[in-house]
Amino acid sequence: MEQQTSIRTSLQLGIYKIIDPFVKLLIKLGLTPNAVTSIGFVLNVGVAAIFIIGAEDGNRGDFTYVGWAGALILFAGLFDMLDGQVARLGNMKSVFGALYDSVLDRYSELIMFLGICYYLVAHHYFLSSIFAFIALIGSMMVSYVRARAEGLGVESKGGLMQRPERVITIGVFAIACGITSSYIGGDYKLFVPGIRFHVFETMSVFTFPIAILAVLTNFTAFKRLVDAKKALSENEQ
């Protein structure tokens, strides 16, 4: 766990060094951390809009919308890091800012998954839509367990699938799905002799990672719950 945390921290510090010049530009332009957070939220509304438009206007085998939505997911995710850095480097930290950031992060994720589920249901990927909904539940519980534990005076913030990992996973594989469809086609299906149904299709590039996300987010939430229980027991003793 400590090694995992150390690697994650090192990656964050490396990313901060890259984005700091842009952060300083935002500060010079007069943008506040809350403004940056709001921009990220609006971009995630745009992500949901792309998925919904793709559901209504796109064909089942057309994953162009999925690819563009993935690109916007990563761009919107960038603002999750920018707002905190703007607050730190601009000396604009506030208690309400931290609350505002957390609330809009939850709304952003809910709206993003709304778009994903809408797209999957509209194009009859019903099983995948269930996994997406389970991933949404896990994502919310990861955040809730941490917040509730901190409210009780203990820390519980480890795990495999925190928000940055979730954003990167969904964004990268959505883009990969869009790119893959341009090479093998949107209707590609892989069959294995002896199995009556296909074991892989183009959309699987996007939906398989979501299924993994559904498992790992809920595992992370459960792991945080166990860690919080242990910490609370130690405090009581």
Side-chain angles (χ1 to χ4, degrees), residues 63 66 120 125 128 169-182 184-186 188 199-212:
F63 299 126
V66 176
L120 294 173
Y125 296 102
S128 295
T169 299
I170 294 174
V172 167
F173 284 101
I175 293 172
C177 181
I179 294 173
T180 302
S181 67
S182 67
I184 65 175
Y188 175 82
V199 296
F200 178 86
E201 59 183 325
T202 308
M203 188 57 165
S204 301
V205 175
F206 182 49
T207 56
F208 277 1
I210 287 179
I212 295 171

Side-chain angles (χ1 to χ4, degrees), residues 113-114 116-122 124-139 203 206-215 217-218:
F113 272 108
L114 168 65
I116 292 172
C117 289
Y118 190 101
Y119 182 92
L120 294 173
V121 170
H124 308 294
Y125 296 102
F126 294 118
L127 182 59
S128 295
S129 69
I130 292 172
F131 277 116
F133 187 71
I134 294 172
L136 168 60
I137 293 172
S139 298
M203 188 57 165
F206 182 49
T207 56
F208 277 1
I210 287 179
I212 295 171
L213 202 66
V215 175
T217 52
N218 285 283

Side-chain angles (χ1 to χ4, degrees), residues 13 15-25 27 82 85 89:
L13 292 175
I15 293 171
Y16 286 153
K17 288 181 180 178
I18 296 171
I19 66 173
D20 276 355
F22 184 55
V23 170
K24 292 174 182 177
L25 174 62
I27 294 171
L82 289 175
Q85 280 298 90
L89 296 183

Side-chain angles (χ1 to χ4, degrees), residues 78-158:
L78 177 63
F79 284 81
D80 283 343
M81 293 185 291
L82 289 175
D83 55 7
Q85 280 298 90
V86 168
R88 282 185 283 272
L89 296 183
N91 195 25
M92 291 183 277
K93 290 183 181 180
S94 70
V95 176
F96 175 73
L99 175 62
Y100 186 73
D101 179 42
S102 296
V103 170
L104 257 65
D105 278 354
R106 302 293 81 73
Y107 271 118
S108 293
E109 201 155 14
L110 284 164
I111 289 170
M112 179 189 69
F113 272 108
L114 168 65
I116 292 172
C117 289
Y118 190 101
Y119 182 92
L120 294 173
V121 170
H123 289 302
H124 308 294
Y125 296 102
F126 294 118
L127 182 59
S128 295
S129 69
I130 292 172
F131 277 116
F133 187 71
I134 294 172
L136 168 60
I137 293 172
S139 298
M140 292 302 103
M141 292 310 299
V142 166
S143 301
Y144 178 77
V145 174
R146 175 180 176 178
R148 192 70 185 95
E150 288 177 349
L152 295 172
V154 297
E155 273 199 355
S156 181
K157 58 180 183 180

